[in-house]
Amino acid sequence: MSKNKTAKKNDPPSSLDRNRFNMKVVTSDTCRSCKTPCSRGMRYVAHMNEPGSVGKGVPCILTRGKGYK
């Protein structure tokens, strides 16, 4: 006789875990017009002001998920 195999159920992550590390990626235009500039954004703006620089954006700490405190 064969034994029945029981599958382990993975608990889905809570909504707090899902939103914990989500940040929007913003461009240098958004960083320039930000009311509360951060060091990461200002460093990115300075990099993008150099001629020939190519950027894909930077994660904005002000748009972080709900899990942060």
Side-chain angles (χ1 to χ4, degrees):
M1 290 190 151
S2 64
K3 295 183 179 180
N4 291 336
K5 295 182 181 180
T6 58
K8 292 183 180 180
K9 293 184 180 179
N10 291 336
D11 293 332
S14 68
S15 63
L16 193 65
D17 291 338
R18 263 187 278 135
N19 292 328
R20 187 170 182 184
F21 298 109
N22 293 341
M23 288 190 227
K24 292 181 182 177
V25 176
V26 297
T27 59
S28 60
D29 296 334
T30 307
C31 287
R32 277 191 207 110
S33 63
C34 184
K35 294 179 182 177
T36 55
C38 61
S39 61
R40 181 190 288 176
M42 292 299 104
R43 200 170 48 238
Y44 180 65
V45 169
H47 170 73
M48 293 306 293
N49 285 335
E50 297 174 6
S53 60
V54 177
K56 296 183 180 180
V58 64
C60 181
I61 196 73
L62 299 174
T63 60
R64 61 185 181 238
K66 298 175 185 174
Y68 285 97
K69 289 186 178 181

